[in-house]
Amino acid sequence: MGEQGVKRAFKYRFYPSAEQAEQLLQTFGCVRKVFNLALEARSRAWTEERRRISYGQTSAMLTEWKRTEELSYLAEVSSVPLQQALRHLQSAFTSFFTKRSAYPRFKSRKRSRAAAEYTRSAFTWRNGRLTLAKMRGPIDIRWSRPLPDGADPSTVKVAAPGFGKREGARLAKAQKEFARKKKGSRNQAKARQKVARIHAGVADRRRDHLHKLSTRIVQENQLVAIEDLPVRNLMGNRNLARAISDASWSALRVMLEYKCAWYGRELVVVDRFFPSSKTCSACGLICGALPLGARAWTCEGCGTRHDRDHNAAQNILAAGQAVSACGGRVSPQRSSSGRAAGDEAGSLAVRAVRVPAPAGREDVKRRTPGTRSSSRPGSTPCRAARG
């Protein structure tokens, strides 16, 4: 097998001048307008004519929109971010048709994230200075770390800070002050900047913590096992949504995936239907019912007292070790009726492929997640805490 190449992305913050900031705000508005126009056209065509419109057709529509008197301002900004907005809409429809996401929604000026994407043809990179299309001069960039030798920017993503969700007394107070200011006044602009700084600070601290945590986990262990939790579904629980969003489980998983590839570590993802919390890590018995509020429970078979999350982490580690040794994946063994066998018989098996052992090594036997095994050096159970 050949070596798998891993690409790294580097993010840097820049500070536009007043003129550049005004141009970016105009670009954000044009991107949002083009996205909404294309979405409206595609939705109307399907509703009235049962006809699908492709990305190429929306690109032709964009050319016609620029020629109209009402939308002539679209020609004042770079065409690349507008085309990228159409591509993003196409990706959203592809995800919808494959049942991976909901139907695309219109972008709101107040609630949607203001952003514009510039590909390689929409900016110039000379002598360490970056200039976006339609701008007179380069943007002031804060080089938090140098680019690797021979690396050139391939994509610029330009994002404006949003208000996000309310979090903490300080943020609530800042938002109340912003709401009391007179609309369009300088005091309102200052209050808006204060709210944005709080959001940015929280996001920076969360990102820094996740990077440090994921790097430490990957550097200290050869095997990392995680649980494939349905984050999108769990976010629908109003009692858990804030805690899950603050923990950023999805971001942590992404970091673990690409950092394991960087450092040559093994990452095993355990199936979401694997009853890691209800399975006794000592004897393998699955308890009947375990409500989310029960943070500890006692096994009826062996009498062992378990902490919910610690027990689940032990089961995930054992399952990850079994998959690492035997191959395959971890999921509940299902009966002919479609129900998990563990629900009926109180047992669970690891679905693994038996592979011949290399020369000089004993054959590896299939292992169930409930059995105790010798601790593998440098392996860590990683499980996001459930609210």
Side-chain angles (χ1 to χ4, degrees):
M1 296 178 61
E3 295 184 358
Q4 182 181 4
V6 180
K7 294 183 178 180
R8 293 193 180 189
F10 297 86
K11 292 184 178 181
Y12 300 93
R13 179 172 295 180
F14 65 86
Y15 296 86
S17 63
E19 181 182 358
Q20 291 172 339
E22 184 178 355
Q23 290 178 318
L24 290 175
L25 289 176
Q26 184 181 7
T27 303
F28 296 154
C30 291
V31 167
R32 182 174 59 250
K33 182 66 174 180
V34 168
F35 184 94
N36 290 341
L37 287 174
L39 176 56
E40 181 183 7
R42 297 182 69 153
S43 301
R44 188 190 309 113
W46 176 254
T47 302
E48 298 177 357
E49 308 174 24
R50 286 296 185 268
R51 177 173 58 91
R52 290 186 178 182
I53 296 180
S54 64
Y55 160 75
Q57 291 173 305
T58 56
S59 180
M61 291 179 182
L62 175 59
T63 303
E64 296 299 324
W65 293 335
K66 291 181 179 180
R67 295 174 180 173
T68 63
E69 181 178 357
E70 181 182 2
L71 300 174
S72 59
Y73 61 87
L74 295 177
E76 298 176 2
V77 302
S78 173
S79 62
V80 173
L82 306 184
Q83 292 289 343
Q84 290 300 107
L86 299 179
R87 291 189 175 93
H88 294 163
L89 178 61
Q90 178 63 34
S91 299
F93 270 106
T94 301
S95 299
F96 168 72
F97 291 135
T98 55
K99 297 182 180 181
R100 290 186 287 112
S101 65
Y103 192 83
R105 295 181 296 180
F106 290 97
K107 291 186 179 293
S108 169
R109 181 176 62 87
K110 295 182 179 180
R111 295 187 299 273
S112 300
R113 177 173 176 264
E117 183 175 352
Y118 292 77
T119 56
R120 192 65 184 86
S121 60
F123 63 87
T124 57
W125 173 256
R126 295 176 183 174
N127 300 325
R129 308 189 74 183
L130 186 142
T131 305
L132 299 179
K134 299 282 187 174
M135 286 192 179
R136 298 179 180 178
I139 295 181
D140 182 18
I141 302 178
R142 293 293 185 266
W143 295 104
S144 55
R145 53 180 171 178
L147 278 174
D149 294 337
D152 290 329
S154 59
T155 303
V156 180
K157 290 188 178 180
V158 182
F163 290 102
K165 296 182 179 180
R166 298 180 179 180
E167 184 178 87
R170 182 185 174 195
L171 179 59
K173 181 180 178 180
Q175 289 176 328
K176 289 180 181 179
E177 293 177 354
F178 169 75
R180 296 191 184 104
K181 303 302 180 183
K182 183 178 179 181
K183 187 175 181 180
S185 65
R186 297 184 63 180
N187 287 334
Q188 188 195 43
K190 293 179 181 178
R192 182 189 294 111
Q193 291 178 356
K194 183 177 181 180
V195 173
R197 282 195 297 268
I198 296 175
H199 276 293
V202 171
D204 289 342
R205 288 192 295 271
R206 181 186 297 117
R207 190 182 306 109
D208 179 71
H209 169 72
L210 292 177
H211 273 296
K212 291 178 179 178
L213 174 63
S214 58
T215 300
R216 179 170 57 84
I217 291 175
V218 171
Q219 288 182 341
E220 294 178 355
N221 302 278
Q222 296 295 325
L223 170 68
V224 180
I226 63 175
E227 190 174 14
D228 182 24
L229 295 175
V231 177
R232 179 176 298 178
N233 297 339
L234 293 174
M235 288 293 291
N237 188 326
R238 59 184 300 178
N239 297 322
L240 301 177
R242 177 177 294 183
I244 295 174
S245 176
D246 189 35
S248 297
W249 291 349
S250 298
L252 178 59
R253 174 174 175 172
V254 171
M255 292 179 184
L256 288 173
E257 287 175 345
Y258 70 75
K259 289 183 181 181
C260 282
W262 287 357
Y263 293 96
R265 304 298 194 256
E266 184 178 6
L267 178 68
V268 176
V269 181
V270 178
D271 190 271
R272 65 183 59 176
F273 297 107
F274 171 61
S276 58
S277 298
K278 299 194 297 182
T279 303
C280 176
S281 58
C283 66
L285 181 67
I286 300 180
C287 68
L290 187 64
L292 189 61
R295 310 314 302 172
W297 60 282
T298 302
C299 177
E300 297 179 356
C302 62
T304 304
R305 182 70 175 174
H306 294 294
D307 176 85
R308 182 191 186 103
D309 292 320
H310 179 74
N311 175 71
Q314 294 296 326
N315 289 325
I316 293 171
L317 173 59
Q321 290 174 334
V323 171
S324 176
C326 303
R329 63 188 181 90
V330 178
S331 61
Q333 188 177 26
R334 299 189 178 275
S335 62
S336 58
S337 62
R339 295 181 59 191
D343 295 340
E344 301 171 358
S347 61
L348 188 96
V350 175
R351 290 185 178 179
V353 180
R354 191 176 180 88
V355 295
R361 177 181 173 184
E362 296 181 358
D363 193 13
V364 180
K365 296 182 179 180
R366 182 178 300 179
R367 184 189 308 144
T368 58
T371 58
R372 292 282 186 178
S373 61
S374 58
S375 177
R376 175 175 176 174
S379 37
T380 290
C382 178
R383 181 175 189 263
R386 293 178 175 176

